[in-house]
Amino acid sequence: MALVLDGNGTMTVGNGSISGLSVGGLPTGVINSTNITDATIAQGDLDTTIIPIGAGQTWQNMTSSRAIGTTYTNSTGRTIMVIVSGTGGGANGLWGVTLNSAISYYTPSTYTASVWTACEFIVPAGQTYALSQQGSNATLQNWSELR
Amino acid sequence: MKHYKDPNTNELYAYESDGSQDAWIKPGLVPVTDEQAEEVRQQNQQNSFNSLTYQQKRVTEYPPIGDQLDALYKAGVFPAELAAQIKTVKDKYPKV
């Protein structure tokens, strides 16, 4: 499928070839048939760039199919959001979030055990994500994904 | 899910068992059984914990700060004014 905006300002949805986007001389805040000649947006761009996260997606409880210390891949073709909560404790924080094999952040130090801690992150299409345990006795309580 | 591990880093990966994510399997990974995956997961967590300092290990097991403060209150070591404030709240919401 492709979303097509032609030089006459007509937007159509349907099958079609992909061509370059030509935009020029844009007046501030205005896009019209004068400054857009022809634009065809590929399905991939539509999925990952044009359509905002959340559109057509639903929150899904993934707790039963997710585990701490395991790397998962976002193969949905869309950007997804992940929210995880759990209990445990750690001076370096309870959770470490790893995106595309690079540590992104740790949750704050809990200072004691048995503290509820949550973390949230966005995963672009095609990238990997994992949650590691930084302290001890971490128990995964809920893992939800907007996908 | 089916599991793979990176033989160089011991990082554990999971992919859908129906094959729908096979095209996403990272090159160089080796397949492991579910039992082996759990062993890898536990070993990685243990290695992470072992790397902590003794202070960091203690923090993971201290009781909640609220419980610690309540024990001090019950031991009667708080200043009278603070103890009175705490008692006011306890009286307002008695145990049921």
Side-chain angles (χ1 to χ4, degrees):
Chain A
M1 187 188 80
L3 183 64
V4 180
L5 180 64
D6 66 23
N8 297 319
T10 302
M11 184 174 288
T12 56
V13 177
N15 295 321
S17 60
I18 299 171
S19 62
L21 173 66
S22 177
V23 181
L26 292 178
T28 303
V30 176
I31 298 175
N32 56 36
S33 59
T34 302
N35 49 48
I36 294 183
T37 53
D38 287 291
T40 302
I41 303 170
Q43 179 68 43
D45 291 335
L46 198 61
D47 288 341
T48 60
T49 307
I50 309 299
I51 298 177
I53 184 170
Q57 296 173 308
T58 58
W59 282 106
Q60 298 181 28
N61 188 333
M62 307 295 287
T63 311
S64 62
S65 59
R66 295 288 183 263
I68 302 165
T70 306
T71 300
Y72 299 95
T73 304
N74 174 13
S75 61
T76 66
R78 296 278 307 276
T79 298
I80 66 171
M81 182 172 181
V82 181
I83 297 180
V84 182
S85 60
T87 54
N92 289 342
L94 182 59
W95 306 122
V97 177
T98 306
L99 298 174
N100 257 10
S101 299
I103 284 289
S104 294
Y105 70 92
Y106 296 107
T107 55
S109 171
T110 65
Y111 295 106
T112 61
S114 303
V115 174
W116 275 87
T117 305
C119 57
E120 310 85 24
F121 48 93
I122 284 175
V123 186
Q127 294 196 6
T128 60
Y129 55 107
L131 204 66
S132 61
Q133 172 181 312
Q134 299 304 307
S136 68
N137 303 319
T139 302
L140 185 63
Q141 301 289 352
N142 184 275
W143 185 308
S144 296
E145 297 184 1
L146 180 65
R147 54 189 293 145
Chain B
M1 306 296 283
K2 54 184 179 183
H3 295 90
Y4 293 76
K5 80 169 184 178
D6 187 324
N8 298 314
T9 65
N10 232 27
E11 187 177 353
L12 190 65
Y13 290 77
Y15 299 95
E16 295 294 341
S17 52
D18 62 5
S20 61
Q21 288 190 310
D22 283 2
W24 296 90
I25 296 175
K26 183 181 170 185
L29 299 183
V30 296
V32 294
T33 65
D34 289 349
E35 292 74 20
Q36 291 170 327
E38 188 55 34
E39 290 173 8
V40 170
R41 195 177 286 124
Q42 291 183 6
Q43 187 60 56
N44 287 344
Q45 289 183 0
Q46 189 61 52
N47 290 342
S48 175
F49 185 76
N50 290 344
S51 68
L52 300 177
T53 65
Y54 75 90
Q55 296 101 323
Q56 292 169 329
K57 289 176 181 173
R58 287 179 177 179
V59 162
T60 65
E61 297 184 29
Y62 282 140
I65 289 175
D67 290 352
Q68 297 180 42
L69 292 173
D70 200 46
L72 290 174
Y73 166 78
K74 289 173 179 170
V77 298
F78 279 177
E81 185 179 351
L82 186 57
Q85 289 178 4
I86 294 172
K87 186 175 187 309
T88 298
V89 175
K90 285 179 178 288
D91 291 344
K92 184 178 179 182
Y93 305 107
K95 281 185 178 178
V96 291

